[in-house]
Amino acid sequence: MIGMVSHAPSPASASASRGTPPASGRRHPHPDGVGGSPPGPTVGFDLDMTLIDSRPGIHATWRRLAAETGVAIDADLIVTRLGPPLVQEMAYWFPEEEIPAMAERYRALYPDHAIEPTTALPGAREALEAVRAAGGRTLVVTAKHGPSAKLHLDHLGLAPDVLVGELWAEGKAEALTAHGAAVYVGDHVGDVRGARMAGARSVAVATGPCDESELAEAGADVVLPDLTAFPGWFAGLTRG
């Protein structure tokens, strides 16, 4: 069950965003913990192309927006570079003054076009369960609009303890620090930067737009091919 849903204000320009610090989430009582503090580590996860394959739904939403606006939007290209905030992608297709309205319209279209086609990536459920089995807490920190992220998690039955939306790259460090994340798992070099700024161990998965060499060069502590390898790696971490 998601303990808190938070999201930072949407950025007004196409520059990389740093959201406002989220409020600390309520710690849930834990059967093995004392005073509600779990004995295991808090592990953060990115959402798009880390836990879920949102490309089909995002593709469909952009195509719908293109049909409504008459703008020749290349949805095939867009889904090859998922990760940064929506307004950054909007800047490739719309004048700056139109971006806020177009982002609002995209988000209105999103529930009807993006949720159903999206699937959990291999190993996503098992990765979350590995953290819970070790007595830890799970945290999703994503650049995606918070309500849209929650729709995906609810639809797929993925239930982190905390969800924080609309934070990107170094901005993710705010949520990771606020919730005491020891590990952050993501698919983008921006996720690596966010983890490092927060002092968390950066675990990168090569399931998104960045390949293994890019992720390693960005400073990831660990690079895995996908989340199916996470439980084994995490078991070694928790054994010390």
Side-chain angles (χ1 to χ4, degrees):
M1 181 176 184
I2 297 174
M4 183 190 78
V5 179
S6 175
H7 58 90
S10 299
S13 70
S15 62
S17 66
R18 289 180 57 91
T20 56
S24 297
R26 176 174 61 88
R27 287 190 177 273
H28 298 291
H30 192 280
D32 298 320
V34 177
S37 297
T42 294
V43 178
F45 293 86
D46 176 49
L47 185 62
D48 292 300
M49 302 313 301
T50 298
L51 289 172
I52 66 173
D53 185 352
S54 52
R55 290 173 298 184
I58 290 173
H59 189 280
T61 307
W62 278 103
R63 283 179 58 85
R64 179 62 183 174
L65 186 65
E68 285 192 4
T69 61
V71 176
I73 297 171
D74 189 345
D76 292 339
L77 174 61
I78 289 171
V79 297
T80 67
R81 57 190 186 199
L82 300 182
L86 174 63
V87 293
Q88 286 195 31
E89 186 61 48
M90 284 281 173
Y92 290 108
W93 312 107
F94 297 99
E96 183 176 357
E97 65 272 14
E98 295 181 16
I99 289 174
M102 290 299 100
E104 183 177 354
R105 182 56 185 154
Y106 175 93
R107 287 169 177 152
L109 292 168
Y110 199 89
D112 290 336
H113 297 276
I115 305 305
E116 187 65 34
T118 294
T119 58
L121 281 166
R125 300 179 196 283
E126 292 82 359
L128 294 172
E129 286 303 322
V131 177
R132 296 187 187 110
R137 298 176 76 237
T138 55
L139 165 68
V140 168
V141 184
T142 174
K144 189 181 290 297
H145 186 49
S148 297
K150 187 174 187 304
L151 287 174
H152 279 303
L153 294 167
D154 290 348
H155 178 72
L156 295 171
L158 302 174
D161 294 298
V162 177
L163 165 63
V164 181
E166 296 185 45
L167 292 177
W168 161 241
E170 289 85 354
K172 293 187 175 187
E174 296 164 356
L176 297 174
T177 301
H179 294 285
V183 177
Y184 185 60
V185 186
D187 65 282
H188 198 283
V189 293
D191 298 323
V192 176
R193 299 200 306 269
R196 291 177 64 84
M197 179 163 281
R201 191 182 302 257
S202 172
V203 177
V205 287
T207 46
C210 303
D211 63 27
E212 293 188 17
S213 62
E214 288 179 276
L215 295 165
E217 288 170 9
D221 296 298
V222 179
V223 180
L224 304 175
D226 56 41
L227 282 179
T228 62
F230 178 84
W233 173 83
F234 187 69
L237 177 72
T238 54
R239 285 196 299 265

